[in-house]
Structures are given as C-alpha cells and as structure tokens.
Amino acid sequence: AWTHADFAQLFNQAILHDGCLFAFNERKRNAGEFVCVDAATGTTRWTSDAVGIGVFVLSDGHWLFLTRQGEVILALAGEEQPV
C-alpha cells in the first residue's frame, strides 16, 4: 500500500489502465491537472493540463473527456500524456 500526498479524488474516480491510475487531481481542481500514477508504487509518472477538467471514461483504448466547458475530447490511452 502507498499514499500520495499531492493527489486527491473527490467526484471522479481513478481508472486503472496498463498498471497506472489515471485521474484528475482534485487538489488542483481549477488547474485541470490530469495525472498518471504508477499503481504499484504510487509514483507520479506525469501530469498534464492539456485537457480541461471534467469527466472521463476509458473505451477501446481511448480516453473520452467531457470538459466543464462542453468540449468533447478523444485521446489515445496509455502511459504517454494526452495531446
């Protein structure tokens, strides 16, 4: 087990994919920080502000984001940051 002092969940739950947990960091809610955390170690692999905060799902190897501004964004899921 591990803890991560800079990572918090509130409304969105993290999604486990390819050994990583992906989620928006609720501690930085206004910044829209999407985070990839190694599920085994709790180490942050990357953070991204490329997608505005909102909700997201994983489907067929892709992230589907719906931002608070109403944007729909499709991005390839994986260990790399969404662009």
Side-chain angles (χ1 to χ4, degrees), residues 15-32:
I15 294 177
L16 179 64
H17 177 65
D18 287 343
C20 294
L21 291 169
F22 295 88
F24 282 106
N25 185 357
E26 294 293 339
R27 288 195 193 273
K28 297 183 179 178
R29 184 178 306 172
N30 295 328

Side-chain angles (χ1 to χ4, degrees), residues 34-65:
F34 192 62
V35 181
C36 173
V37 174
D38 186 294
T41 65
T43 303
T44 300
R45 291 195 179 176
W46 53 259
T47 61
S48 174
D49 62 357
V51 178
I53 196 160
V55 295
F56 64 103
V57 295
L58 177 65
S59 178
D60 197 27
H62 291 82
W63 296 117
L64 181 62
F65 297 92

